[in-house]
Structures are given as C-alpha cells and as structure tokens.
C-alpha cells in the first residue's frame, strides 16, 4: 500500500508532523513501512507558458516553441507530440541539473537554437503520467510564470510504502491509514463535504433499484453526465501513477482514485449502452446460490458485487451517461462464493472485497461527486438510489481490568475508550463494563483480545514495560508422563548399547517359576491360554532365558536382550521391572576380533547395564538368588537403595537350557534413578595419575578400602578404581590389588608435592583404619 504525504494531508492535518515521525508511528501501530522516498523538483525548473508552436523546418518530429518564463521568452526545440500553444509547462532553464544527471545547456537542434527544455514528469523524477511533456494545471496551486516548481508542495512529495497483513483490509486506502494515524496522533479526521446544487435533475429520472432478496451486500447508485472532454487533473494523475492504479479510460481512473483514497468499492456503467433508447433503467439485485449478489438489467447480468463486471455496460472514453455503483459485501460471503464456485473469476476488486472494503458508501459517493462538481464539462444528478443491509453490529463487552490483564499494563479506562473511538469503534459505558460495537470495516475483530491488540497498537508496544512470563496454569506433567519419558529413555539407551527389546506375555509357566524358587501366586487364572502360560509372572527372567535358548538354537552366537514389563508378587500386586540379558560372545565373529570374539563376563555386562541406567554399586546379597551363580551375583545399589540384582545364570540352569555363558539383571523400574543431566564445568588443566599396589587380606572386600578412601574427601581426587589383582604363594593368605588414582585441579596444574601429600594421606588412613599398606 503506497501513500504520499500530500494525499494523506487530504484526510489528516500532518503539516506540523515530520515524515520521519509519520514513518516511525506507522511502524509502531503495526503498519510496517517497507520503503520511503523523497521526491524533490531540482532548482531552475520553472513554470512556463507556451506562446506559440511551429514545426521544425528540418524535422518532422521536432517543434519550435516560444515559452514565456516571466522575465524572458525562450526559444525551445521540443520533440513531444503533445506540446501545444496555450499550455503551462515545466521548463528547465539553462544550468538546471535534472535527477537523471542531465545538465541543461544552450544547444542547436537541426540548426535551430534551443535555450532550455520542456520537461516530462519522469525527467523531473516524478512518476510517468504520459508519453509526452507534463502539462501543468491549477491542481498544483496558482500557476505563476517563472516560479520554481520546487515551491509547490503538490509536486514535492514524500512517498511511503507500507506492508499490510491480510486482515487489515481497512487500511487498503488513504482514509483507512489516516484513521489509524488520527488515533496515534490524536488528530481529527477531515470530513468529506459535498453539497448538492439546486436545480439538478434527480437520479430517479434515469435509474431505479429493486430487490426481493435479503442480501449481505449494500449498494448505492449515483449518476452524472459528460458534456465535453473528461480529463483528470495533474495531481491526481501523478498520485495514480505512483500507486500504480491509473486506467486507460479516464472515468475508470477517477473511480480507481476514489476507491484508493476512500476504500469504497466503485464500478461504473454506461447508461447509454444499457438503455439505448434513453428509457429509465431498472437494476435488479439478486442473491446468488453462494450468497453473493448479482446486478441484472432485463435478465442480463451486468456484474457480481465485489467480484467481477462483464463488458456489456462497461464505460469507455466516449461514454456520456455514467451510473456509479458503490457497494459493500461481507468478505466472508466473497470468500465462500469464490471457493465454492471456481468459475467465478474475479477482477481487481476481489482483492479488496475479500479483505474487507469500506462499508460507508456515502463516503465514496460524496468524495467522487465533490471532484466531479468542480469539472465544467460534467452535469450531476441529485440524490441516490440505494439498498442497504440491516445487520446488527457485534458487541464485545469487557472490563478495563480484564483488558489490562491481557495487555500486562494498566491503560486508563478513558484513554482506552478514546483510542477505540478514534479508530472508529462505537463505545458505550455501563458501570464497570465497556461495550464496544464492532464496525463493519473491522470484520477481523472478534473478542476482547483483538480489542486489546488495537489499544496496544496505538499506545505503542515500546511504551509497555516488559514483564517476566508468569505461568498461571497448573503443571500438567504427572507420574504417567514421567513414567513414559523414563521408559523411552531406557529403550533408546538400551538399543544404543546393543540390546534388542523383547515383549512377552504377562503370564508364565508355573513349573518353571517354582524351579527358579519363586512362590506360587495366590490369584489364579480361571481360563489360561495354555498350560505353559497359566500364572502371572513374578519375574521377566524366565521368559528371557527361553528367548535366549531359542536364539542360541537358531545359531546366534551373541544374544543381548532387554524388556520393560509388568510383574506380579504372590498377592498379584503388579509393578514394572526392567531386565537385561547378555549371552555368548561379546560380538559376532569378524575380522576385527580375528574370528575369535571374547565371551561375555561380569564386568562387561555390568558396564553395559550401567550405560543404560546410570552409575550403580554392587554389593554381596544377604540372601543368595537360587537361579544365579553363587560366586557371580550381586545386588544393584543406587542412591543407597537396592534396586535389583545382577549376576551369571547358575551353571546347572545354563547346562539344562544348553546356554553358553549367560548374565542377567532385573531391576525395579520405579526405584531407578532418573535425574536430569546437569552440565558441570570441567578443568582446562591436565590430570595426573598414580598407581598404588596394596597388600590386602584375601577375606577383605574392596568395598571397605573404597569407603575408607572416600571418607577422606580429598579435594583434587577425581576418581580411583582397581586396575589389577594379583596373588601367588609368596603372598600366602593376602592379595595384591593395584588402584589407579586420578588427580586434577580446576584452577592450576598440580605439582608433585600436591600429589605426594594426597598419596601419603591415603596410605596413612589405610594403615590406621584397615592395617594395610603398599606392597
């Protein structure tokens, strides 16, 4: 949407407001400025009067003109076809520098002296209005010979292009933009005043309108006659060229200009084409099947309101009796009609009508008749024929507190009411309520949120202080969500560690479970699937072992399985467990392992499980698990709680099922630790490692050694772990264990003295508490 400062001045007095302020304000109220341009006529371009014109003796295309510029008469050779004696023209004097860089100098054209140049609009940096020179008229002001054109504001304008969102059809006009700016600047909109002259013929002599349908469209018809040459003045021609709305037919151009200025949709019909014998014309307005309206004359469709017009009665340059139609149709009706019937090919009006045109039809009619009344070759008909919809406006009621809660800022009630009235809303107050009647030109306003947005636009988003976001809604994240999230985490990590997921029945073989040492469930299944699935399962392990058995029999050498499933205690109370199994080789045979892969062992399996559930400790169980190896089983401890067990399947059970070396782990799902990952800073300085080989009694568990060292809480000790265990006859009933200590500081590179001190402290503590020392 392109507006000019001069055009805007017709609707709003911005004479004391800079163009920079206008562009800033447009941006702040949501009408984003896309581009800005200043058009200025250069110096030494003056008003001249063509006193005479004669053909150049040596050229068919050149004319020799005498041009009066007040203080002298210049001889100028001109190549424009439209130059004529009696015209006021723009003359660039010798020494003038035009916007295209051309400097005017005395010259001889085909032997004839030329002093100056008669200019076209484009040569002066203005929009193109024709193929020849620019002929001046009184629309720019009083034409004073010799006066520089840079002194005429109508020609020295500022052009602003704004980007509109589809819902702002109300701003597809100069009047609509001015209405928003009037609220922002707190300035009154100028009214269009048109007073009919006495003695005019009434429109009833040429036209009547009828309709038997209840429509969603409004119509107003006016008429005028053309007696001579119909011509658009210079200022309007320049504005239309800037906006890109000029038409070939001058009547269409004037209608296009009026629509662009007021937002009212206008069409023109040639009355002589409709009624060739001069009889009175009757328009029939019918509601079509999709809700839109059509205008008929004698069963011939002339146009579809807001959509298209056929050529039957279209005006042209020779038209003499003109009927002007102003119309408004609910944009929803236009959208439905054009979507339902793809044969309705719209013209340029559909762009406006589908976004919402100006419903005040009298505004458009008065505006164009005000222009026509100043034309000497035009005769006007008085009055109008109209058909108006009687549709109740939507009312939105709210309190100022409700609106301010949406805005997040306290806008005084009176200020909000004033803004809304300036924007064209009808506002009434009822105790604490503000009742806002939504005008037809703002069909996009539906509720108090939309109204709050209008107030915010005018107040200015930059004038509303920002506040931190407050969550007024309750947290909807519940236990079910976290269980789902944690299950998903385990599945992803387990798959990433090489485990394949199993899904088994919640029923199991009673005989197998009793052999594994589980108690019989007190709740029996009355109608089991079969004898092998006759009881609720108390563990995931039995299904795992049989799945592993099937895989091994199918020549799988490496089997890794996991499952998250429901188990039941002896009273049939259900809970969820997580189980892992690794059997056979660590990997399948390949070139990387020389076709001799290693077997699964306790450390490998425990590390794989740890990669899934996080760090844990192993401790000797107080009660042995009967189906696990007596020498390779442990409780899994997290956060000081026993969350499950891990170990190798009993050798007898392995032999019975014909399984290779097999390890299993079963954990209580709800007892597992699912803390968020916390990012911690890391040291930029190198770590230093030291190994200590300690002589330890064979009956002493490493857990005691680890606890003793951990209680020292040495600041720079990052980690320590067993890296080797050695025994021989010389050590008798003792073993040598090698522990690797890793030290690192956050602020400096550690020196030998720092490490030595820590090692001495560790050895002292081990000697005093456990009576062990270095080898």
């Amino acid at each position: 949407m392109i507006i000019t400062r001069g055009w805007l001045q017709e609707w709003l007095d911005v004479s004391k407001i800079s163009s920079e302020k206008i562009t800033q304000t447009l941006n702040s109220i949501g009408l984003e400025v896309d581009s800005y341009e200043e058009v200025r006529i250069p110096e030494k371009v003056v008003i001249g009067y063509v006193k005479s014109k004669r053909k150049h003796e040596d050229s068919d295309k050149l004319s020799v003109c005498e041009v009066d510029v007040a203080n002298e008469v210049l001889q100028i050779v001109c190549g424009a076809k439209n130059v004529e004696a009696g015209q006021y023209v723009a003359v660039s004097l010798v020494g003038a520098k035009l916007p295209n860089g051309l400097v005017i100098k005395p010259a001889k054209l085909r032997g004839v002296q030329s002093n100056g140049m008669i200019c076209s609009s484009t040569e002066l940096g203005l929009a193109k209005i024709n193929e020849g020179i620019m002929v001046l008229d009184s629309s720019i002001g009083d034409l004073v010979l010799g006066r520089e054109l840079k002194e005429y504001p109508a020609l020295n304008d500022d052009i602003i292009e704004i980007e509109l969102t589809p819902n702002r059809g109300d701003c597809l006009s100069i009047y609509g933009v001015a209405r928003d700016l009037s609220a922002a600047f707190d300035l009154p909109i100028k009214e269009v005043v048109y007073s009919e002259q006495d003695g005019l013929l009434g429109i009833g002599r040429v036209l009547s309108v009828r309709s038997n349908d209840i429509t969603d469209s409004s119509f107003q018809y006016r008429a005028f006659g053309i007696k001579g040459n119909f011509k658009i003045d210079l200022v309007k021609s320049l504005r239309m060229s800037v906006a890109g709305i000029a038409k070939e037919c001058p009547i269409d151009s004037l209608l296009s200009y009026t629509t662009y200025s007021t937002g009212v949709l206008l069409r023109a019909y040639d009355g002589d084409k409709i009624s060739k014998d001069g009889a009175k014309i009757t328009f029939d307005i019918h509601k079509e099947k999709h809700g839109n309206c059509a205008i008929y004359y004698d069963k011939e469709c002339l146009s579809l309101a807001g959509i298209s017009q056929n050529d039957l009665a279209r005006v042209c340059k020779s038209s003499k009796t003109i009927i002007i139609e102003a119309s408004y149709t609910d944009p929803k009706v236009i959208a439905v009609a054009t979507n339902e019937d793809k044969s309705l090919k719209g013209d340029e009006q559909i762009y406006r009508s589908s976004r919402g045109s100006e419903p005040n039809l009298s505004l458009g009619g008065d505006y164009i008749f005000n222009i026509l009344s100043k034309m000497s070759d035009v005769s006007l008909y008085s009055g109008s024929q109209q058909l108006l919809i009687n549709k109740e406006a939507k009312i939105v009621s709210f309190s100022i507190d409700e609106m301010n809660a949406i805005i997040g800022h306290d806008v005084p009630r009176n200020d909000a009411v004033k803004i809304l009235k300036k924007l064209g809303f009808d506002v009434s107050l009822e105790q604490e309520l503000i009742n806002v009647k939504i005008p037809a030109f703002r069909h996009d306003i539906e509720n108090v949120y939309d109204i709050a947005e209008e107030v915010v636009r005018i107040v200015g988003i930059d004038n509303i202080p920002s506040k931190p976001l407050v969550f007024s809604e309750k947290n909807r994240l519940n236990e079910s969500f976290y269980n789902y999230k944690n299950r998903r985490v385990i599945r992803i990590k387990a798959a990433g560690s090489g485990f394949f997921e199993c899904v088994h029945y919640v029923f199991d073989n009673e005989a197998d479970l009793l052999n594994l040492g589980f108690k019989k469930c007190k709740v029996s299944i009355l109608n089991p699937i079969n004898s092998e699935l006759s009881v609720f399962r108390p563990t995931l392990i039995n299904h795992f072992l049989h799945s592993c058995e099937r895989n091994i029999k199918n020549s799988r050498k490496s089997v890794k399985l996991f499952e998250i499933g429901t188990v039941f205690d002896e009273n049939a109370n259900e809970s969820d467990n997580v189980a892992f199994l690794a059997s056979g080789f660590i990997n399948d045979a390949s070139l990387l392992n020389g076709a001799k892969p290693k077997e699964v062992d306790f450390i490998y399996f425990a590390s794989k499980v740890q990669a899934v559930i996080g760090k844990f400790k192993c401790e000797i169980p107080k009660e042995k698990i009967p189906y696990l190896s007596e020498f390779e089983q442990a409780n899994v401890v997290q956060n000081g709680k026993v969350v499950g067990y891990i170990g190798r399947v009993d050798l007898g059970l392995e032999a019975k099922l014909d399984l290779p070396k097999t390890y299993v782990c079963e954990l209580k799902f709800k007892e597992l630790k699912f803390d968020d990952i916390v990012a911690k800073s890391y040291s930029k300085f190198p770590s230093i490692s030291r190994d200590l080989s300690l002589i330890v009694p064979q009956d002493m568990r490493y857990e005691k050694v680890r606890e003793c060292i951990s209680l020292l809480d040495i600041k720079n000790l990052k980690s320590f772990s067993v890296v080797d265990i050695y025994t021989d006859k010389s050590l008798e009933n003792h073993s040598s264990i090698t522990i690797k200590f890793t030290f690192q500081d956050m602020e400096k590179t550690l020196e030998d003295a720092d490490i030595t001190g820590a090692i001495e402290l560790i050895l002292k503590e081990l000697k005093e508490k456990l009576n062990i020392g270095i080898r």
Side-chain angles (χ1 to χ4, degrees):
M1 176 70 191
I2 294 175
I3 63 174
T4 72
R5 182 185 178 88
W7 209 343
L8 186 63
Q9 181 69 28
E10 284 190 0
W11 295 100
L12 195 68
D13 185 5
V14 291
S15 57
K16 296 181 181 179
I17 303 173
S18 67
S19 295
E20 181 181 4
K21 180 66 174 176
I22 291 173
T23 57
Q24 289 175 352
T25 304
L26 286 169
N27 280 321
S28 70
I29 63 177
L31 305 180
E32 184 181 349
V33 175
D34 203 37
S35 65
Y36 171 78
E37 180 185 3
E38 293 181 353
V39 177
R40 298 292 182 266
I41 305 296
E43 295 181 350
K44 293 188 177 183
V45 179
V46 301
I47 294 177
Y49 178 74
V50 181
K51 297 184 66 176
S52 67
K53 166 196 167 185
R54 61 181 174 83
K55 283 189 71 173
H56 193 292
E57 294 179 357
D58 295 328
S59 174
D60 293 334
K61 296 183 179 180
L62 298 178
S63 301
V64 181
C65 302
E66 288 185 324
V67 183
D68 187 356
V69 291
N71 57 347
E72 61 179 324
V73 177
L74 301 175
Q75 178 175 282
I76 299 175
V77 178
C78 179
K81 293 180 180 179
N82 66 327
V83 66
E84 296 291 345
Q87 294 173 334
Y88 286 90
V89 293
V91 179
S92 294
L93 302 178
V94 172
K97 184 177 181 180
L98 301 184
N100 59 8
L102 177 65
V103 178
I104 305 303
K105 300 177 181 179
K108 279 190 177 183
L109 299 177
R110 296 287 181 94
V112 177
Q113 185 69 31
S114 180
N115 299 302
M117 185 172 78
I118 302 175
C119 298
S120 66
S121 60
T122 55
E123 287 168 336
L124 296 178
L126 302 173
K128 184 177 181 179
I129 58 174
N130 56 24
E131 295 296 334
I133 61 167
M134 181 175 70
V135 180
L136 306 177
D137 59 35
S138 60
S139 65
I140 68 170
D142 292 335
L143 299 178
V144 180
L145 291 181
R147 186 177 180 182
E148 289 193 299
L149 289 181
K150 70 176 185 178
E151 298 178 21
Y152 288 84
L155 297 178
N156 297 269
D157 212 345
D158 297 336
I159 301 171
I160 303 170
E161 183 174 2
I162 58 178
E163 191 74 27
L164 293 177
T165 53
N167 67 310
R168 293 309 306 273
D170 59 301
C171 286
L172 281 173
S173 65
I174 307 296
Y175 170 67
V177 175
R179 182 168 48 207
D180 267 23
L181 286 175
S182 73
F185 290 135
D186 194 17
L187 294 172
I189 285 282
K190 297 180 183 179
E191 294 184 1
V192 176
V193 179
Y194 168 67
S195 299
E196 289 186 343
Q197 299 176 3
D198 295 332
L200 298 179
L201 295 176
I203 192 174
R205 288 174 175 265
V206 296
L207 179 69
S208 63
V209 178
R210 64 190 180 193
S211 177
N212 295 324
D213 299 326
I214 298 175
T215 69
D216 289 315
S217 300
S218 293
F219 299 88
Q220 185 183 87
Y221 292 90
R222 301 195 188 194
F224 67 93
I226 299 175
K227 296 178 288 187
N229 186 26
F230 190 85
K231 188 179 179 183
I232 306 295
D233 64 47
L234 177 59
V235 169
K236 293 181 180 60
S237 297
L238 287 170
R239 289 175 179 174
M240 286 190 291
S241 295
V242 167
I245 59 173
K247 309 294 180 185
E248 185 176 349
C249 174
I251 300 169
D252 282 336
S253 287
L254 184 59
L255 265 63
S256 181
Y257 178 87
T258 303
T259 295
Y260 198 90
S261 188
T262 65
V264 178
L265 291 182
L266 298 175
R267 291 198 190 279
Y269 302 97
D270 188 327
D272 298 324
K273 290 181 180 179
I274 298 172
S275 177
K276 297 178 181 179
D277 57 0
K280 182 178 176 179
I281 299 168
T282 299
F283 282 168
D284 289 306
I285 299 176
H286 296 309
K287 187 175 182 178
E288 302 290 275
K289 63 178 180 179
H290 297 300
N292 60 302
C293 286
I295 297 86
Y296 288 86
Y297 171 74
D298 196 19
K299 298 183 180 180
E300 289 283 349
C301 180
L302 301 179
S303 66
L304 300 175
I307 299 177
S308 62
Q309 179 182 9
N310 62 31
D311 295 331
L312 183 64
R314 197 181 294 274
V315 295
C316 60
K317 293 180 180 180
S318 61
S319 298
K320 297 300 179 184
T321 302
I322 313 300
I323 298 171
I324 295 178
E325 173 192 272
S327 69
Y328 170 80
T329 303
D330 189 326
K332 294 178 183 177
V333 173
I334 299 292
V336 170
T338 52
N339 284 327
E340 293 292 330
D341 189 351
K342 300 301 182 183
S343 66
L344 297 180
K345 302 300 181 183
D347 56 22
E348 60 184 13
Q349 277 202 3
I350 200 169
Y351 179 80
R352 290 177 176 273
S353 62
S354 62
R355 286 163 174 76
S357 59
E358 173 59 47
N360 182 6
L361 304 185
S362 295
L363 177 68
D366 288 347
Y367 187 90
I368 194 170
F369 263 55
N370 203 15
I371 295 171
L372 293 170
S373 65
K374 297 178 175 65
M375 295 182 177
S376 58
D377 292 333
V378 171
S379 60
L380 306 178
Y381 287 89
S382 65
S384 63
Q385 295 282 346
Q386 56 188 20
L387 174 68
L388 304 177
I389 56 175
N390 186 17
K391 188 176 181 180
E392 287 292 328
K394 183 175 181 178
I395 296 176
V396 177
S397 299
F398 56 91
S399 67
I400 190 64
D401 291 336
E402 184 181 356
M403 189 184 73
N404 284 337
I406 295 169
I407 296 173
H409 177 68
D410 289 337
V411 177
R413 184 182 184 185
N414 290 340
D415 290 354
V417 170
K418 185 177 180 181
I419 288 170
L420 292 171
K421 286 183 175 181
K422 283 282 186 181
L423 290 173
F425 294 84
D426 189 0
V427 183
S428 62
L429 303 178
E430 183 181 342
Q431 295 181 353
E432 297 299 320
L433 287 180
I434 302 174
N435 300 313
V436 178
K437 188 178 290 187
I438 310 301
F441 63 82
R442 289 309 305 269
H443 64 92
D444 59 314
I445 303 295
E446 295 286 343
N447 48 45
V448 64
Y449 297 95
D450 296 329
I451 292 173
E453 185 180 348
E454 293 301 297
V455 174
V456 169
R457 285 197 307 114
I458 305 305
V459 170
I461 191 68
D462 293 336
N463 297 323
I464 296 177
S466 59
K467 292 182 179 180
L469 184 64
V470 176
F471 288 98
S472 59
E473 198 172 6
K474 250 176 127 180
N475 190 343
R476 296 186 183 183
L477 302 181
N478 52 29
E479 185 179 3
S480 296
F481 169 78
Y482 287 115
N483 285 340
Y484 160 77
K485 178 184 174 184
N486 294 336
R487 283 169 179 263
R488 190 168 180 270
V489 168
I490 287 179
R491 284 190 174 98
I492 293 172
K493 288 185 175 181
S497 295
F499 291 96
F500 289 85
E501 185 172 12
C502 286
V503 179
H504 297 104
Y505 286 110
V506 294
F507 311 114
D508 210 339
N509 188 308
E510 184 177 1
D512 286 350
L513 295 173
L514 292 175
N515 289 332
L516 291 177
F518 289 95
K519 295 180 181 180
K520 184 176 180 180
C521 183
K522 295 177 182 179
V523 177
S524 61
I525 300 172
L526 296 179
N527 188 20
I529 297 173
N530 54 46
S531 60
E532 294 184 354
L533 298 170
S534 58
V535 294
F536 288 121
R537 63 180 179 183
T539 180
L540 303 177
I541 298 302
N542 188 47
H543 280 312
F544 259 32
L545 294 175
H546 289 292
S547 292
C548 181
E549 179 187 13
R550 286 190 293 272
N551 276 276
I552 295 297
K553 287 180 178 178
N554 285 321
S555 301
R556 297 291 301 177
K557 302 299 183 184
S558 174
V559 180
K560 298 186 183 73
L561 306 174
F562 84 96
E563 182 179 1
I564 305 173
T566 303
V567 296
F568 301 83
D569 64 15
E570 59 182 311
N571 296 314
N573 297 314
E574 65 177 276
S575 60
D576 289 336
N577 279 7
V578 184
F580 300 88
L581 176 145
S583 179
F585 296 125
I586 291 175
N587 302 106
D588 289 327
S590 69
L591 288 174
L592 296 176
N593 52 40
K596 294 181 180 180
K598 293 182 179 179
E599 278 190 308
V600 173
D601 57 32
F602 188 93
I603 298 298
Y604 168 79
F605 181 62
S607 66
K608 283 293 184 181
V609 174
Q610 182 171 266
V612 179
I613 69 168
K615 289 186 177 181
F616 62 84
K617 296 179 181 178
C618 290
E619 65 179 22
I620 302 298
K622 294 179 180 179
E623 295 183 7
K624 297 292 184 180
I625 300 170
Y627 52 88
L628 296 184
S629 169
E630 182 181 356
F631 306 103
E632 287 188 89
Q633 60 173 277
N635 286 336
V636 176
V637 180
Q638 267 193 346
N639 292 337
K641 289 183 179 181
V642 176
V643 298
Y645 61 86
I646 185 172
R648 181 180 176 182
V649 175
D650 181 72
L651 272 64
L653 186 56
E654 281 182 355
K656 180 181 178 181
L657 297 175
D658 199 18
L659 298 178
K661 199 173 182 182
T662 302
Y663 289 84
V664 294
C665 173
E666 188 167 21
L667 310 165
K668 298 173 184 176
F669 176 76
K670 287 192 175 181
E671 298 294 333
L672 293 177
K673 178 183 176 183
F674 290 103
D675 293 341
D676 292 331
I677 298 174
V678 179
K680 295 181 180 179
S681 58
Y682 62 91
S683 176
K684 298 179 181 179
F685 300 95
S687 62
I688 299 175
S689 299
R690 292 287 188 272
D691 291 347
L692 280 182
S693 293
L694 304 173
I695 300 296
V696 180
Q698 288 184 352
D699 60 351
M700 180 181 290
R701 308 220 41 97
Y702 170 69
E703 187 177 346
K704 287 187 176 182
V705 178
R706 181 182 62 198
E707 185 178 346
C708 181
I709 298 173
S710 297
L711 289 173
L712 290 174
D713 194 22
I714 298 172
K715 177 183 176 183
N716 296 323
L717 180 58
K718 292 299 179 181
S719 63
F720 61 95
S721 59
V722 176
V723 294
D724 184 53
I725 300 176
Y726 173 75
T727 59
D728 64 18
K729 292 181 180 180
S730 64
L731 295 176
E732 298 180 349
N733 60 343
H734 287 72
S735 296
S736 172
I737 64 170
T738 302
I739 302 176
K740 182 177 182 178
F741 295 88
T742 302
F743 299 89
Q744 190 176 32
D745 193 277
M746 295 293 292
E747 298 177 354
K748 65 177 183 178
T749 299
L750 294 173
E751 299 179 357
D752 287 341
D754 299 320
I755 308 302
T756 302
I759 294 294
E760 289 176 352
L761 179 61
I762 292 169
L763 290 173
K764 180 182 177 183
E765 188 73 8
L766 292 173
K767 187 67 177 177
E768 291 178 357
K769 295 287 178 69
L770 303 178
N771 194 29
I772 60 176
I774 59 175
R775 183 178 174 184

